[in-house]
């Protein structure tokens, strides 16, 4: 936030002790937002990208719809930028921040380059703790394994804490088809489930929704007052509707933020304690864990725990950092270790370090494209900068447009707690997609023409010399037409009177 302007009304939180002031004016942020909406809005929530099978996702089209909803776009941009600012304040409070990042990166790179050993160690120790360990090659395998476990126990309802891995596996849809009811225990994820939408952010799944959107969803699904968008009322109503389902559930499911090889244990970080409900209320606990979540030793955990919440939400620690060692008395615990393309990604020279990701979302919060287009515009499980790298590894054609949804400003790499060179990998994907002939014809033709022009200095100078005249005299449609996506939101500036080349010739060139 700049210019001392008041943030979006959704973010007003007058009693927040962390309030900061600029030029005598308070900058409100989302952390303690708990006031009823001052001015309600009836703007409809823009929906995400249209997905048509294997056809390339048109992120720009979905983003245009998001931008056309100014209340949503402004709130989203400011809410996420606020998280970025909080993250910065936390970072400045830790003198050894860069050392922590370097350490986290080194631990992850070491683990990933010895992944087979650490996975075996984890499996051996987890089994010794009394946990059943299963291996899933892909999403279908994962869903089938979990379904088999539930069927063996006669389970018909499953409470589940937030897990991007299960989103990746299309788990909820699979279970719905199998007649098993899945109930999300994370508030944001539950909102998304009730609205039949995917999460739009890896940490704050419903961040793109205004309170009025949530009021509308709850009114439609759990019978609340549609005109009441007070967050206390909404949260309490959701709790009252969800808690009986949680207490009656046959099985519980969590993901894991980290799996520790030396102990065979795993750790789940939440701010609502909902993973603890999922894990501890029913007697059957199933944990779905991506194979890249393994770290070698318990002492390494401290490095990641210090980085995770600070990077994600700008808070020093998550409210709950829960360690799970084995089944509780009379209970049963299953771990499903899921590959789903990770081994293949590990073999990609330019992209394997994306497996270091700890899903903190900091790269999303800082990304100007993500902030202004909303996570659902990407039409993929993973959105924002990290999504641009991960998604094409699942399907290069379907997600071929995504690596172009970046300014390559490098801010994502700068905030990444595990030092992934995100913007360089996005750029590498662009090259790769051109090699794989997965770029649109118009983009390819434009780049080819630009390449020709730039590699022939005389032609380039002639083009520049006539640009001013052309801009002034050519019919507008020649420049601003359907083929020129760039021109949809921008005006071409008038070229300067003198080019750098001619200035250099007159001032610094060799005098004859
Ligand atoms: S790529 Fe880095 S910044 Fe982005 S979610 Fe992963 S760990 Fe966080």
């Amino acid at each position: 936030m700049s210019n001392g302007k008041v943030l979006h009304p959704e973010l007003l939180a007058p009693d927040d002790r962390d309030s900061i002031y600029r030029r005598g004016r308070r900058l409100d942020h989302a952390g303690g937002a708990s006031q009823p909406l001052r001015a309600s809005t009836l703007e409809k929530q823009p929906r995400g990208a249209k997905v048509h099978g294997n056809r390339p996702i048109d992120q720009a089209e979905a983003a245009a719809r998001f931008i056309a909803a100014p209340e949503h776009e402004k709130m989203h941009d400011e809410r996420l930028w606020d998280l970025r600012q909080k993250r910065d304040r936390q970072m400045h409070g830790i003198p050894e921040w860069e050392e922590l990042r370097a350490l986290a990166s080194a631990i992850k790179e070491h683990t990933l380059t010895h992944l087979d050993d650490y996975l075996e160690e984890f499996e051996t120790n987890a089994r010794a703790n009394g946990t059943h360990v299963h291996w899933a090659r892909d999403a279908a395998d994962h869903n089938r394994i979990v379904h088999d476990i539930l069927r063996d126990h006669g389970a018909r309802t499953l409470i589940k804490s937030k897990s991007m891995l299960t989103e990746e596996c299309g788990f909820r849809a699979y279970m719905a088809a199998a007649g098993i009811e899945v109930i999300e225990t994370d508030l944001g994820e539950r909102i998304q489930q009730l609205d039949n939408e995917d999460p739009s952010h890896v940490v704050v799944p419903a961040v793109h929704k205004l309170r009025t959107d949530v009021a509308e969803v709850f009114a439609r699904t759990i019978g609340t007052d549609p005109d009441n968008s007070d967050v206390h009322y909404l949260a309490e109503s959701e709790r009252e509707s969800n808690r009986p389902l949680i207490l009656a559930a046959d099985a519980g499911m969590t993901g894991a933020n980290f799996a520790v090889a030396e102990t065979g244990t795993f750790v789940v970080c939440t701010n609502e304690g909902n993973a603890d409900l999922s894990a501890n209320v029913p007697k059957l606990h199933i944990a779905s864990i991506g194979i890249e979540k393994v770290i070698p030793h318990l002492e390494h955990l401290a490095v990641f725990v210090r980085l995770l919440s600070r990077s994600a939400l700008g808070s020093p620690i998550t409210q709950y950092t829960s360690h799970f060692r084995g089944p509780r008395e009379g209970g049963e615990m299953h771990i499903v270790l899921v590959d789903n393309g990770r081994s293949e990604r590990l073999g990609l020279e330019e992209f394997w370090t994306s497996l270091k990701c700890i899903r903190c979302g900091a790269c999303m919060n800082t990304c100007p494209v993500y902030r202004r287009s909303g996570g659902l515009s990407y039409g993929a499980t993973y959105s924002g900068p990290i999504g641009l790298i991960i998604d094409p590894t699942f399907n290069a054609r379907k997600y071929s447009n995504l690596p172009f949804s970046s300014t390559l400003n490098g801010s994502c790499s700068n905030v990444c707690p595990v030092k992934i060179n995100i913007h360089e990998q996005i750029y590498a994907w662009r090259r790769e997609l051109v090699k794989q002939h997965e770029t649109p014809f118009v983009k390819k033709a434009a780049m080819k023409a630009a390449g020709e022009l730039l590699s022939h200095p005389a032609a380039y100078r002639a083009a520049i010399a006539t640009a001013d005249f052309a801009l002034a005299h050519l019919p507008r449609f020649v420049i601003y037409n359907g083929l020129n996506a760039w021109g949809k939101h921008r005006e071409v500036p008038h070229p300067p009177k003198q080019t750098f080349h001619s200035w250099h010739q007159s001032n610094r060139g060799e005098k004859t």
Side-chain angles (χ1 to χ4, degrees):
M1 187 66 201
S2 59
N3 307 326
K5 274 190 342 203
V6 179
L7 283 170
H8 193 278
E10 289 269 309
L11 309 183
L12 288 172
D15 298 319
D16 191 328
R17 279 177 291 128
D18 291 335
S19 301
I20 54 166
Y21 288 78
R22 183 175 299 148
R23 291 188 216 107
R25 190 148 194 185
R26 201 178 133 245
L27 296 183
D28 296 287
H29 53 74
S34 61
Q35 301 299 305
L37 260 185
R38 277 152 178 73
S40 79
T41 171
L42 295 175
E43 182 181 276
K44 248 179 134 37
Q45 180 202 323
R47 295 293 165 178
K50 294 168 186 157
V51 179
H52 304 285
N54 210 24
R55 283 211 340 239
I57 297 286
D58 191 347
Q59 200 253 346
E61 182 276 329
R65 277 187 279 117
F66 192 77
I67 292 167
E71 282 286 298
H72 285 81
E73 193 233 353
K74 180 171 161 56
M75 175 276 297
H76 192 259
D77 181 23
E78 293 181 350
R79 186 174 276 175
L80 291 167
W81 185 243
D82 177 66
L83 291 180
R84 161 69 209 263
Q85 288 180 310
K86 284 182 177 170
R87 173 252 173 219
D88 289 353
R89 289 201 288 279
Q90 287 293 330
M91 176 199 75
H92 291 308
I94 307 238
E96 67 276 24
W97 183 260
E98 286 307 316
E99 280 168 50
L100 280 176
R101 286 179 76 214
L103 207 50
S105 171
I107 294 167
K108 279 284 182 183
E109 289 192 10
H110 167 81
T111 317
L112 289 168
T113 49
H114 300 78
L115 195 54
D116 47 351
D117 294 336
Y118 286 119
L119 282 169
E120 278 179 21
E121 188 183 345
F122 176 77
E123 180 186 23
T124 305
N125 291 327
R127 283 191 198 282
N129 295 338
T131 306
H132 301 271
V133 180
H134 311 258
W135 296 86
R137 186 173 294 124
D138 53 27
D141 240 8
H142 167 268
N143 295 343
R144 185 187 48 73
I145 290 167
V146 177
H147 188 199
D148 286 350
I149 299 169
L150 295 174
R151 199 168 36 206
D152 288 349
H153 289 77
R156 308 299 302 165
T157 56
L158 173 81
I159 50 172
K160 178 175 140 331
S161 71
K162 186 163 68 60
S163 149
M164 292 310 292
L165 176 61
T166 55
E167 294 296 328
E168 199 183 303
C169 294
F171 179 73
R172 275 205 315 249
Y174 180 96
M175 284 295 143
I180 291 174
E181 188 185 4
V182 176
I183 302 130
E184 296 287 347
T185 53
D186 174 273
L187 176 59
E189 194 67 45
R190 181 66 175 161
I191 293 168
Q192 289 306 92
Q193 181 185 21
L194 292 173
D195 202 17
N196 200 20
E197 263 193 340
D198 292 333
S200 76
H201 187 285
V202 293
V203 176
V204 271
V207 68
H208 60 295
K209 279 182 160 67
L210 296 166
R211 284 181 227 173
T212 44
D213 298 324
V214 178
E216 185 275 318
V217 174
F218 282 3
R220 179 161 38 89
T221 54
I222 61 173
T224 55
D225 174 1
D227 296 321
N228 192 344
S229 56
D230 173 68
V231 290
H232 291 301
Y233 168 71
L234 293 173
E236 190 55 37
S237 303
E238 194 277 337
R239 175 193 289 251
E240 278 173 22
S241 115
N242 223 18
R243 202 46 67 96
L245 303 176
I246 291 173
L247 294 174
D250 300 322
M253 189 178 207
T254 65
N257 293 84
F258 308 100
V260 185
E262 77 168 337
T263 56
T265 59
F266 58 94
V267 175
V268 187
C269 306
T270 71
N271 280 308
E272 299 173 25
N274 57 300
D276 304 83
L277 286 175
S278 306
N280 292 313
V281 175
K283 289 200 167 155
L284 174 62
H285 176 193
I286 305 167
S288 296
I289 306 179
I291 56 172
E292 84 285 13
K293 294 289 169 88
V294 177
I295 56 171
H297 300 291
L298 206 51
E299 65 179 342
H300 296 147
L301 195 58
V303 175
F304 294 102
V305 168
R306 292 187 78 195
L307 288 166
L308 178 61
S309 190
R310 288 184 168 91
S311 301
L313 298 171
S315 56
I317 193 161
T318 46
Q319 303 294 320
Y320 299 85
T321 301
S322 304
H323 295 241
F324 296 98
R325 187 176 190 90
R328 64 197 164 97
E329 222 179 297
E332 203 170 301
M333 181 184 277
H334 292 255
I335 291 174
V336 187
L337 291 167
V338 187
D339 187 317
N340 202 31
R342 286 158 174 77
S343 299
E344 210 177 313
R345 205 180 309 149
L346 196 56
L348 299 176
E349 202 184 332
E350 291 190 279
F351 307 111
W352 72 274
T353 58
S354 63
L355 287 162
K356 293 193 288 183
C357 176
I358 57 171
R359 308 278 190 266
C360 72
C363 56
M364 303 162 132
N365 303 344
T366 200
C367 175
V369 176
Y370 177 86
R371 290 204 317 269
R372 292 173 182 86
S373 56
L376 297 177
S377 68
Y378 294 75
T381 300
Y382 300 100
S383 53
I386 186 62
L388 307 190
I389 304 169
I390 295 179
D391 296 325
T393 65
F394 290 119
N395 189 332
R397 159 145 305 179
K398 187 168 179 178
Y399 302 119
S400 55
N401 284 326
L402 296 190
F404 297 90
S405 294
S406 168
T407 64
L408 299 180
N409 65 17
S411 179
C412 44
S413 306
N414 288 340
V415 298
C416 178
V418 285
K419 290 176 86 80
I420 300 172
N421 57 336
I422 305 171
H423 69 295
E424 288 171 3
Q425 292 192 35
I426 294 171
Y427 182 57
W429 258 119
R430 293 183 186 182
R431 284 199 309 263
E432 186 56 34
L433 289 166
V434 170
K435 259 194 248 161
Q436 293 184 21
H437 306 290
E438 293 294 359
T439 41
F441 171 76
V442 173
K443 195 184 292 286
K444 232 173 357 199
M447 288 299 122
K448 196 160 187 234
E452 283 292 320
L453 196 65
L454 292 170
S455 57
H456 294 92
Y460 173 74
R461 279 187 210 114
I464 290 295
T466 54
D468 203 11
F469 178 84
L471 284 175
H473 296 92
L474 280 178
R476 192 173 164 81
F477 75 86
V478 175
I479 298 166
Y480 302 97
N481 54 50
L483 294 176
N484 179 14
W486 190 93
K488 278 186 198 158
H489 303 286
R490 306 171 182 88
E491 287 290 318
V492 179
H494 281 289
K497 291 267 174 288
Q498 189 178 28
T499 64
F500 174 75
H501 183 261
S502 70
W503 176 88
H504 193 269
Q505 284 294 99
S506 341
N507 294 284
R508 303 280 163 84
E510 279 180 22
K511 302 276 184 253
T512 51

